[in-house]
Amino acid sequence: MIYPAAFWPGILGISILLVGVFTYRRDFQSSSRDGAFGLTALGPVFVAASIAAFAGEHFSAGPALAALVPKWLPAPLFIAYFVGVAHLAAAVSFVARRYIRWSALGLAVMFALFVLFMDLPAALKRPEVRIFWSLVARQATFSIGALALFAIATRNDNPRRAAAITMIARIWTAAVLIFYGIENALFPRFAPGVPSMVATQAWVPQPALIAYATGLLFIGFGFAMLFRKIASGAAARCGLFVTLLTALLYVPQWVMAPDLSRQITGINFVFDTLLFAGTVLVIARAISETGAAHTANTTTQ
């Protein structure tokens, strides 16, 4: 049975994903000969599909999400719905390929506000709870990934600024991947990929082995991203790996969910993991394209 609260996030996420694959098909086809680098063309699509799904959650569960808004902010229900509208607007902008620089910048600010107003205060209040720090790292990475998309969109206008943003995104993402890799290795009973507090589904074979492998790969990708010459390839392969995790582990978890609670959990796992994959793929492309633009600009001066 499909519940309305799960239907709208799912239908919005899938619809935007399909539209995005169509609008970015030529980019994907032209770069697919480069192997893992071909998938970087779909980074903005994965980001768009994910935030569209989260927009659906804000529309269908606005009162519940309003309870998460900091108490000192006014009109929490309005804020919950406004965030949903902002997410959907950014998603449409990305797949329509219009006003991307402004949508990416706005999305970066929004995720940064999530960190400053919710995730970081919670982590500082209870520093012993590891998942709070994982959430800080995740939301900050999403913010920096949106900035990387802004850097791609504006690389010809200001190559030096784009290169600086990309350098920050590369180093931050490298650190987060190493952190997440350690988390996966230390807590193998939890679902692999972006750290969570939910145990791996019972149907998944060798869950501890998958978690250890995920941890080692994340650590390897993270250290590789510290070196500029191989950073783009490492990020692209990391994005491919996280995309496979989404498709092979979390899409079946969503499809097989028997009730509303587990359907919502499945949707969150799918689109959280896909958003992380899309973010890393965007950063991989930014490393390649902004570096080339900066080099070309330096050469012509």
Side-chain angles (χ1 to χ4, degrees), residues 92 101 179:
V92 172
R101 64 178 65 189
F179 171 49

Side-chain angles (χ1 to χ4, degrees), residues 48-267:
S50 302
I51 59 177
F54 297 145
E57 287 192 349
H58 280 264
F59 297 149
S60 60
L65 292 174
L68 302 177
V69 176
K71 303 300 183 185
W72 55 271
L73 286 174
L77 185 59
F78 170 79
I79 291 174
Y81 286 130
F82 176 78
V83 169
V85 172
H87 277 346
L88 187 58
V92 172
S93 170
F94 292 163
V95 298
R97 310 187 74 162
R98 295 291 186 273
Y99 311 109
I100 288 179
R101 64 178 65 189
W102 299 113
S103 297
L105 190 59
L107 190 64
V109 171
M110 180 171 287
F111 278 121
L113 291 176
F114 292 165
V115 174
L116 293 175
F117 290 167
M118 296 189 298
D119 299 315
L120 188 57
L124 293 175
K125 185 176 181 180
R126 298 186 62 189
E128 76 281 3
V129 181
R130 68 175 183 86
I131 194 63
F132 289 162
W133 294 106
S134 296
L135 290 174
V136 169
R138 184 187 72 181
Q139 302 281 59
T141 303
F142 294 159
S143 176
I144 289 173
L147 277 180
L149 186 56
F150 171 78
I152 293 173
T154 60
R155 65 189 183 279
N156 294 325
D157 299 336
N158 193 327
R160 183 172 297 178
R161 180 187 63 197
I165 291 172
T166 301
M167 181 186 69
I168 294 170
R170 174 174 63 84
I171 294 172
W172 172 267
T173 306
V176 168
L177 286 174
I178 293 169
F179 171 49
Y180 279 2
I182 294 171
E183 287 273 284
N184 278 270
L186 290 179
F187 304 99
R189 70 186 184 90
F190 295 118
V194 179
S196 75
M197 296 296 287
V198 178
T200 305
Q201 295 289 294
W203 62 267
V204 177
Q206 300 295 325
L209 181 61
I210 295 174
Y212 289 135
T214 299
L216 289 174
L217 284 171
F218 274 5
I219 292 170
F221 291 139
F223 276 113
M225 285 188 68
L226 293 173
F227 300 93
R228 186 176 58 82
K229 289 185 178 181
I230 60 173
S232 182
R237 287 166 177 81
C238 180
L240 174 60
F241 172 69
V242 178
T243 302
L244 291 174
L245 275 183
T246 305
L248 298 178
L249 294 187
Y250 299 128
V251 170
Q253 175 181 329
W254 175 20
V255 171
M256 295 187 296
D259 54 51
L260 176 59
S261 176
R262 279 178 279 191
Q263 285 182 17
I264 295 297
T265 299
I267 288 171

Side-chain angles (χ1 to χ4, degrees), residues 9-32:
I11 198 67
L12 282 175
I14 293 172
S15 298
I16 290 293
L17 179 64
L18 293 176
V19 171
V21 169
F22 177 78
T23 57
Y24 282 79
R25 68 191 185 281
R26 290 190 177 89
D27 301 71
F28 176 73
Q29 290 167 355
S30 64
S31 58
S32 60

Side-chain angles (χ1 to χ4, degrees), residues 270-281:
V270 167
F271 290 107
D272 265 335
T273 313
L274 189 66
L275 180 52
F276 191 74
T279 297
V280 176
L281 290 169

